[in-house]
Amino acid sequence: MSVLVLALLCGAVIGLALGALGGGGGVLAVPAQVYLLGVAPADAGTTSLVIVVVTSATALARHAGTGNIRWRTGALFAAAGVAPAIGASVLAHRLPQTVLTAAFAVLAAFAATAMLRGARTAHRVPRAAASAEGDAPRTNAEAAVPVPGRPRSTDTAAGTAPLPATGTPAATTNGTGDAAAARTPEGPAGTAGHPRTAAAGAGLGAVTGLLGVGGGFLAVPALVSVLRLPMRTAVATSLVVILVNAVASLTTRVATGGASLDPAVLGPLVGAAVLGAWDGKRLGAKLSGTALQRAFAALLLAVAAFMLADVFV
């Protein structure tokens, strides 16, 4: 099979994952390039960053008019990750390929675990709510699917806020689904835990720079738990963080001359991923969200096991 066809197929699968689940495509992009297209791990991370930049910028443009984005909060959170993202991007091309492969395998396993935990939460909460109200459980198409990085709302038409990926209760909402009062004992959202905010932002930037993933499955829980943002606001604001870190990492890799982008792989892969994301969005609306999460998590666990076996066996 030619490189062009393989790149198109890989991009389509990555796009379907991004569209159907709202995240996780970056985690799948690197191993797909390494094992199917023969791209070096560091270069695969660079190509993955291009996909992250394009898809996150597109999603951010869609969210810009909703009023859910806290630009200042996202900028401050992202600022903490810029320096680590730049440093990790330089380091990525100096580390042995086996180290990068092993690190990525651990990240994939972590992402799969987070997805499985989110799927369990999505399965329990609708049933508990239906039992309390005396109604039958809603279908997964109607229920919240707290996908790490891109959770969907519980009921968009009704304006009900989605559930946090961490499993904590969502903030009280008004008719639009935004928090009416996102306050905690520590104070208003976004004012507590500045050291933790800096640490979370720095960690996310380092992961993005080193491994070439967006890290939405890390950013959203951090914005919810550290900054106490409502879930819908955290999802939209995370796009600012992801885009800033990805641009900083990609620019550094290109500027230092460490990036080696093959147009024969990059063009078809990115194009198919963007187009596939639209089909994936429609697919996700028709199929069981929880089942999709579990299937994708199982795929990530299998990929992680294969990568670790490739390194140590």
Side-chain angles (χ1 to χ4, degrees):
M1 191 177 295
S2 69
V3 173
L4 174 61
V5 174
L6 276 175
L8 288 172
L9 289 176
C10 290
V13 172
I14 293 167
L16 285 173
L18 283 167
L21 298 172
V27 181
L28 190 61
V30 172
Q33 293 177 74
V34 171
Y35 293 105
L36 297 179
L37 299 174
V39 180
D43 294 334
T46 303
T47 303
S48 176
L49 284 172
V50 177
I51 297 175
V52 170
V53 168
V54 173
T55 54
S56 59
T58 303
L60 187 62
R62 291 201 303 268
H63 280 274
T66 65
N68 291 326
I69 302 175
R70 294 193 181 177
W71 296 97
R72 183 173 180 273
T73 299
L76 291 174
F77 194 92
V82 170
I86 292 174
S89 298
V90 174
L91 184 63
H93 283 273
R94 299 182 180 180
L95 290 176
Q97 293 189 16
T98 54
V99 173
L100 286 176
T101 301
F104 198 94
V106 172
L107 179 69
F110 181 83
T113 302
M115 282 191 170
L116 288 173
R117 184 172 57 190
R120 286 196 298 269
T121 302
H123 182 68
R124 287 198 306 266
V125 174
R127 293 185 62 183
S131 177
E133 296 172 5
D135 296 329
R138 289 178 294 174
T139 64
N140 280 314
E142 298 168 323
V145 184
V147 180
R150 299 289 182 279
R152 290 195 289 266
S153 64
T154 303
D155 190 339
T156 304
T160 305
L163 297 169
T166 55
T168 56
T172 304
T173 60
N174 55 25
T176 64
D178 266 336
R183 291 180 178 271
T184 69
E186 296 176 302
T191 63
H194 293 298
R196 290 186 299 162
T197 301
L204 180 62
V207 169
T208 301
L210 186 65
L211 301 178
V213 298
F217 64 94
L218 298 173
V220 173
L223 288 169
V224 170
S225 61
V226 176
L227 299 184
R228 305 295 192 267
L229 294 184
M231 175 55 68
R232 184 173 297 178
T233 303
V235 170
T237 304
S238 72
L239 293 169
V240 178
V241 181
I242 293 168
L243 181 59
V244 171
N245 286 336
V247 169
S249 301
L250 181 60
T251 302
T252 301
R253 293 192 182 207
V254 173
T256 56
S260 178
L261 299 176
D262 185 356
V265 173
L266 179 64
L269 191 68
V270 175
V274 173
L275 294 176
W278 292 101
D279 290 331
K281 188 176 181 180
R282 291 193 292 267
L283 179 67
K286 296 178 181 178
L287 300 180
S288 166
T290 302
L292 283 171
Q293 279 184 267
R294 289 173 174 168
F296 189 74
L299 175 61
L300 283 182
L301 286 175
V303 169
F306 180 81
M307 295 177 79
L308 287 175
D310 183 53
V311 172
F312 296 108
V313 177

